[in-house]
Structure formats: structure tokens, C-alpha cells
């Protein structure tokens, strides 16, 4: 199991829920904020295609492909996933065209989960984010196995959302 943390805070509310989800299981945490992932430069229709970039993305995506389950952990920023997470997923366009990687074929074998946390009525207003992930997973033929949305804005606030904490503990069961 790999947890991709899209938060700018290493120990924020989103990570708290993700840690509850993997409690007692072997899980590798990747903090996307600590990786250099350059923005996508769309070369899908360019005869030369995507060119290699000097960043951490290629190594990171190869690491992700080693795991059978992925938790996408993101705070709800402006009613969507964090920019760090979006930038990572945008680069999938490049991986889809990498013949050596066989990306889509390998990703369809993965179980996908989403852990999200935010303020401002997150359980309702975070649903479009969950739907966005569902569409991404559908496109990739990934098995979308579940999600948790927690309420919490200030650091540690999600710990008071007992329902989300319990859902996180049960996410992988």
C-alpha cells in the first residue's frame, strides 16, 4: 500500500485520517510536497511527443507502480484536490504515452482509495472531488474501493470528527 499525500502540511488533518486508514498495515507514505514534479507541458499531439523532464516524477511513478493499492490523500482546497496532487495526476498524460511503462495496463490492477479533509461542509462540498477521482479511476480502469471525507480546517481539528475517524479505520476492510 502506498499513500500519496497531497497536503502542504506533513502532519495535517488529511494525513491523520490516512494514518488511521493504514494503521496496523504496511504502508509507504510519499509526501508530494517533498518531490519536484514539474507541470505538464502537453505534447500529446506533437510529433516528438513528451520529452524527458529533469524532476522526480519518473522515479515516483515507477515507485507507485510497485504497489497494489494507492491511497490518494488530499486536503480539499477550493473544493477540489490540492494543486500538488493535481500536478502529479496531470503528468499521467505523459506516462500514458510511455510505451515502456505500460502505464494504463499496470494501473488497472490497482485498488484506489481517496482520503480528503476540509472545512466548509466538506462532506457535501467535497463530493465533486470524489466524483473527479471516480472519473479518473474509471478512465484508468482502476478499482475505486472507497473514500473518506473528514471535517477539519485547523490543525488537529479532524480528530473531533469521530465519524470520519471511524470511516478511515474501516476504509481498507
Amino acid at each position: 500500500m502506498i499513500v500519496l499525500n497531497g497536503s502542504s502540511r506533513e502532519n495535517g488533518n488529511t494525513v491523520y485520517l490516512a494514518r488511521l486508514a493504514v494503521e496496523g498495515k504496511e504502508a509507504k507514505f510519499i509526501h508530494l510536497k517533498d518531490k519536484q514534479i514539474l507541470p505538464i507541458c502537453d505534447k500529446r499531439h506533437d510529433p516528438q511527443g513528451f520529452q524527458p523532464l529533469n524532476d522526480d516524477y519518473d522515479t515516483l511513478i515507477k515507485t507507485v507502480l510497485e504497489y497494489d493499492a494507492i491511497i490518494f490523500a488530499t486536503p480539499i482546497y477550493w473544493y477540489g484536490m490540492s494543486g500538488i496532487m493535481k500536478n502529479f495526476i496531470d503528468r499521467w498524460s505523459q506516462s500514458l504515452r510511455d510505451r515502456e511503462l505500460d502505464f494504463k495496463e499496470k494501473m488497472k490492477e490497482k485498488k484506489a482509495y481517496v482520503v480528503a479533509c476540509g472545512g466548509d461542509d466538506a462532506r457535501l462540498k467535497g463530493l465533486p472531488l470524489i466524483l473527479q477521482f471516480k472519473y479518473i479511476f474509471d478512465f484508468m480502469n482502476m478499482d475505486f474501493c472507497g473514500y473518506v471525507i473528514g471535517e477539519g480546517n485547523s490543525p488537529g481539528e479532524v480528530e473531533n470528527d469521530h465519524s470520519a475517524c471511524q470511516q478511515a479505520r474501516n476504509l481498507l476492510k
Side-chain angles (χ1 to χ4, degrees):
M1 162 96 31
I2 190 165
V3 179
L4 299 172
N5 174 26
S7 178
S8 60
R9 281 189 259 165
E10 197 162 313
N11 293 306
N13 290 314
T14 305
V15 169
Y16 180 81
L17 289 177
R19 288 193 193 287
L20 288 178
V22 299
E23 203 168 63
K25 295 170 179 51
E26 190 174 321
K28 178 178 184 72
F29 274 78
I30 300 285
H31 302 283
L32 295 177
K33 73 174 184 60
D34 296 337
K35 303 295 180 188
Q36 181 189 28
I37 304 171
L38 296 171
I40 188 81
C41 182
D42 188 356
K43 299 287 187 173
R44 289 176 295 157
H45 306 290
D46 188 303
Q48 270 74 42
F50 288 94
Q51 299 303 305
L53 297 174
N54 188 20
D55 67 1
D56 297 323
Y57 176 78
D58 288 336
T59 302
L60 176 58
I61 202 65
K62 288 174 183 169
T63 299
V64 168
L65 290 174
E66 294 173 10
Y67 291 85
D68 60 354
I70 308 166
I71 294 179
F72 295 84
T74 181
I76 302 170
Y77 287 162
W78 291 103
Y79 311 100
M81 69 180 74
S82 69
I84 300 166
M85 181 69 71
K86 182 70 168 82
N87 196 40
F88 170 73
I89 292 175
D90 281 350
R91 287 288 294 278
W92 288 12
S93 294
Q94 182 178 343
S95 295
L96 284 166
R97 282 149 186 85
D98 184 340
R99 288 190 176 107
E100 292 178 23
L101 202 54
D102 201 17
F103 185 63
K104 194 166 186 177
E105 198 61 31
K106 289 179 181 171
M107 289 298 280
K108 77 178 187 180
E109 300 168 0
K110 312 292 179 203
K111 292 182 183 313
Y113 302 85
V114 176
V115 172
C117 193
D120 192 23
D121 198 15
R123 276 193 191 75
L124 176 63
K125 295 179 180 178
L127 290 176
L129 165 69
I130 300 303
L131 191 57
Q132 180 182 24
F133 273 109
K134 181 191 180 322
Y135 291 148
I136 291 166
F137 301 150
D138 285 351
F139 178 81
M140 297 299 294
N141 297 311
M142 296 170 68
D143 186 9
F144 186 15
C145 298
Y147 70 90
V148 175
I149 299 175
E151 294 270 349
N153 194 23
S154 300
E157 193 174 358
V158 75
E159 294 177 45
N160 298 320
D161 184 346
H162 302 290
S163 175
C165 290
Q166 190 58 44
Q167 289 173 9
R169 285 183 188 99
N170 293 327
L171 182 64
L172 303 177
K173 292 182 178 170

